[in-house]
Amino acid sequence: MLKYQQIASEIQQDIEKDDLPQGTKLPVLETFMSKYKTSKSTVIKALSLLERKGLVYQVRGSGIFVRRRNRKGYISFSNQGFSDELSEFDITAKVMELDIRKPPEDVAFNLKIHPKEDVYYVRRIRYINGQTLCLEESYYNKSIVTYLNTEIATGSIFDYISNALGVKIGFSDLYFHIQKLNQEEAQQLQLKKGDPKLFVETIFYLNNGVPFDFSKVTYNYQQSQFFFQSTGHSL
Amino acid sequence: MLKYQQIASEIQQDIEKDDLPQGTKLPVLETFMSKYKTSKSTVIKALSLLERKGLVYQVRGSGIFVRRRNRKGYISFSNQGFSDELSEFDITAKVMELDIRKPPEDVAFNLKIHPKEDVYYVRRIRYINGQTLCLEESYYNKSIVTYLNTEIATGSIFDYISNALGVKIGFSDLYFHIQKLNQEEAQQLQLKKGDPKLFVETIFYLNNGVPFDFSKVTYNYQQSQFFFQSTGHSL
DNA sequence: TTGATAAATTATAACGGTATAATTATAATG
DNA sequence: CATTATAATTATACCGTTATAATTTATCAA
């Protein structure tokens, strides 16, 4: 791990370990410099990383302070997309379908592939604390995600992709819609037709800009409590 | 404006002016260094800023590339919250209520003030392209936002706060919920009771960490198409 | 005590340099 | 021609320094 990431990680652990409350002032930069035996720029980078993660805020001329959320039970979605810090919740998944097929037109378009190229198709129901969280349909570019099976898809597909396949995940585009459930979705989520849903289409890209996953997710509105932290202009 | 912000702004304008397509490679760092007569670190800072804004992505060993969204008609919400780049849309507002009052318990809690301190209360309906976009209830800490009137609230309150009052806006916490409209909300949004809604509570903080605005917004689900770009882990 | 002024503290901007890691292009090899 | 090894390109990490801007604290005057 990079030095500034390591430092950021240690500072984060310290904050969480001591459960420092909102507004607590952290040591000054000089302290971190000598503590971690590194340069000022590296400390600044580490703290900027924590600021982007929403853990601290920095005030010029004053200091660096702890930033905390004040509500529990919300699924946080950071700049990495969702699924960060879901350790707080018990998330499981049931794989309904998994096969190799040719992509529909919209999928081919979003993955920037030819409609006759193969994709992995995965349909899952995900559960949070035993309740239905969402229906998920995902299409993976098979030339990048070369292999998948039900066992893998029952766990975290992304962990598998980044670890076993050594693929580097970069960024993603998310498109949110609020809609009404149709009959089929309602049945699978154990809700009623016409009930609200959050529908999210996401395109995931590798770090070199190549799209490798296009997914459509329908969320159970009863579980749809999300938390998002925005950070300042400059940083 | 700071040098790196200025450079970022100019690069952004170049990208938009020439309408550079996704994946276009930008000049190498050296080019920017000599073009803007500045150091490498400053160029890197400018480009990192653009990366966080979702305008470019950088690939080590390869180059810097243009990142573009591929759908129109979505309200983008960046790390500044919503309302960035809304120039694409025609947004108006009608002020329904505006007065000074004592905050309810939850508002006092989120603004971290005593329940007997004064707040400005503003209730607005906002329209997008002539259609109802959302109902908004906002509470402003009066000791920070010292004055408001209907004329100001008809426009952008945040522009007024940051320009006229010279207050520096920092970050914000957003809490999202998917729910059903009640009778009153449905009527105001010209929808039906039980229709879906996106309900967002937001706490806005000054750059020194003091909360100054707590708002509750109910979105018309028919207009609720949002776009969000996530950026990589490291950066 | 109050209010203004100055000094100290603190984070940030900006410079410029060396070293490193990832990618891409080129050359060598079979 | 395909594969492999090497070199060139390119962005990033990291160092250390000076200058600057915001804030806080201390000082002084009324």
Side-chain angles (χ1 to χ4, degrees):
Chain A
M1 198 191 295
L2 296 172
K3 198 165 185 176
Y4 79 94
Q5 291 175 329
Q6 181 62 38
I7 294 171
S9 162
E10 290 189 31
I11 296 174
Q12 174 167 4
Q13 282 170 23
D14 285 346
I15 291 174
E16 289 169 355
K17 173 173 58 66
D18 298 338
D19 200 31
L20 300 179
Q22 170 98 20
T24 305
K25 184 172 178 179
L26 295 181
V28 299
L29 290 184
E30 302 278 350
T31 311
F32 287 119
M33 285 170 67
S34 54
K35 176 171 183 184
Y36 296 109
K37 295 186 180 28
T38 186
S39 68
K40 185 175 293 189
S41 357
T42 303
V43 174
I44 289 175
K45 253 196 135 170
L47 288 165
S48 295
L49 181 57
L50 289 182
E51 185 160 24
R52 260 183 282 104
K53 290 177 81 175
L55 261 100
V56 304
Y57 59 93
Q58 297 171 263
V59 185
R60 189 172 188 168
S62 179
I64 302 155
F65 304 89
V66 173
R67 180 178 175 190
R68 296 227 100 151
R69 89 167 85 172
N70 51 22
R71 299 188 193 180
K72 302 288 178 192
Y74 284 75
I75 299 173
S76 81
F77 84 96
S78 66
N79 284 20
Q80 273 82 288
F82 293 82
S83 89
D84 204 18
E85 186 216 338
L86 282 184
S87 43
E88 175 185 348
F89 303 101
D90 175 33
I91 303 270
T92 56
K94 182 161 73 174
V95 178
M96 310 300 283
E97 286 185 77
L98 191 158
D99 55 48
I100 294 170
R101 57 172 72 174
K102 309 298 178 192
E105 194 180 351
D106 66 322
V107 175
F109 175 78
N110 282 297
L111 288 179
K112 290 184 193 144
I113 59 175
H114 194 94
K116 69 183 183 203
E117 286 188 66
D118 281 335
V119 295
Y120 266 106
Y121 170 76
V122 181
R123 191 162 64 82
R124 303 193 291 182
I125 300 182
R126 305 186 77 181
Y127 302 88
I128 184 166
N129 300 329
Q131 304 239 306
T132 55
L133 172 62
C134 62
L135 310 173
E136 179 193 280
E137 276 186 304
S138 290
Y139 299 84
Y140 298 90
N141 181 336
K142 188 171 174 297
S143 70
I144 297 169
V145 180
T146 49
Y147 179 73
L148 266 186
N149 65 32
T150 304
E151 192 191 348
I152 294 166
T154 302
S156 169
I157 298 180
F158 269 50
D159 281 355
Y160 162 74
I161 290 175
S162 46
N163 296 331
L165 296 181
V167 162
K168 285 171 201 158
I169 296 167
F171 48 91
S172 53
D173 292 341
L174 290 83
Y175 297 90
F176 294 84
H177 309 254
I178 312 294
Q179 299 171 350
K180 295 181 183 177
L181 290 173
N182 64 32
Q183 181 61 51
E184 189 185 350
E185 295 163 341
Q187 190 176 1
Q188 292 178 314
L189 288 173
Q190 300 171 289
L191 295 172
K192 289 180 188 161
K193 180 182 174 185
D195 275 352
K197 74 174 181 186
L198 170 64
F199 178 68
V200 184
E201 292 187 314
T202 310
I203 306 158
F204 293 93
Y205 299 81
L206 301 182
N207 71 338
N208 65 3
V210 175
F212 73 97
D213 175 17
F214 177 64
S215 74
K216 306 179 184 191
V217 182
T218 299
Y219 284 91
N220 180 339
Y221 77 102
Q222 294 173 328
Q223 310 297 334
S224 293
Q225 295 198 124
F226 301 108
F227 173 63
F228 174 69
Q229 292 179 301
S230 88
T231 52
H233 18 33
S234 50
L235 116 127
Chain B
M1 198 190 298
L2 296 171
K3 198 165 185 176
Y4 79 95
Q5 292 175 331
Q6 181 62 38
I7 294 172
S9 162
E10 291 189 29
I11 295 175
Q12 174 168 3
Q13 282 172 21
D14 286 345
I15 292 173
E16 289 169 354
K17 173 171 60 66
D18 299 339
D19 200 31
L20 298 179
Q22 170 99 20
T24 305
K25 184 172 178 178
L26 295 181
V28 300
L29 290 184
E30 302 279 350
T31 309
F32 286 118
M33 285 170 67
S34 55
K35 177 171 182 184
Y36 296 109
K37 296 188 181 26
T38 186
S39 69
K40 185 174 290 189
S41 3
T42 303
V43 173
I44 289 175
K45 252 193 136 173
L47 288 165
S48 295
L49 180 57
L50 290 181
E51 184 160 24
R52 266 193 268 82
K53 290 178 79 175
L55 260 99
V56 304
Y57 59 94
Q58 298 171 264
V59 185
R60 187 171 188 168
S62 180
I64 302 155
F65 305 89
V66 173
R67 180 177 175 192
R68 296 227 100 152
R69 91 167 83 169
N70 50 24
R71 299 188 194 180
K72 301 289 179 191
Y74 284 76
I75 299 173
S76 81
F77 85 95
S78 67
N79 284 22
Q80 274 81 288
F82 293 81
S83 90
D84 204 17
E85 187 216 337
L86 282 184
S87 43
E88 176 186 348
F89 303 101
D90 175 32
I91 304 270
T92 56
K94 182 159 73 174
V95 178
M96 310 299 284
E97 286 184 76
L98 191 158
D99 55 49
I100 295 170
R101 57 172 74 172
K102 309 299 179 193
E105 195 180 348
D106 66 323
V107 174
F109 174 78
N110 282 297
L111 288 180
K112 290 182 192 146
I113 58 175
H114 194 92
K116 70 181 181 205
E117 287 188 65
D118 280 336
V119 295
Y120 266 106
Y121 171 76
V122 181
R123 191 163 65 81
R124 303 194 291 180
I125 301 181
R126 304 185 78 182
Y127 301 88
I128 184 167
N129 300 328
Q131 305 240 304
T132 56
L133 171 62
C134 62
L135 311 173
E136 180 193 280
E137 276 187 304
S138 290
Y139 300 84
Y140 299 90
N141 182 335
K142 188 170 175 299
S143 71
I144 298 169
V145 179
T146 48
Y147 180 73
L148 267 184
N149 64 32
T150 303
E151 190 190 350
I152 293 166
T154 303
S156 169
I157 297 181
F158 270 49
D159 281 355
Y160 161 73
I161 290 176
S162 47
N163 296 331
L165 296 181
V167 162
K168 284 171 201 158
I169 297 167
F171 47 90
S172 53
D173 293 340
L174 290 83
Y175 297 90
F176 294 85
H177 309 254
I178 313 294
Q179 298 172 351
K180 294 180 183 177
L181 289 173
N182 64 32
Q183 181 61 53
E184 189 186 349
E185 295 163 341
Q187 189 175 1
Q188 291 178 315
L189 287 173
Q190 298 172 292
L191 296 171
K192 289 179 188 160
K193 181 181 173 185
D195 276 352
K197 74 173 181 187
L198 171 64
F199 178 67
V200 184
E201 291 187 315
T202 309
I203 306 158
F204 294 93
Y205 299 82
L206 301 182
N207 70 336
N208 64 1
V210 175
F212 72 98
D213 175 17
F214 177 63
S215 73
K216 307 179 183 191
V217 181
T218 300
Y219 284 90
N220 179 340
Y221 77 102
Q222 295 174 326
Q223 311 296 335
S224 293
Q225 295 199 122
F226 301 108
F227 172 64
F228 175 69
Q229 292 179 302
S230 87
T231 52
H233 17 33
S234 50
L235 118 127

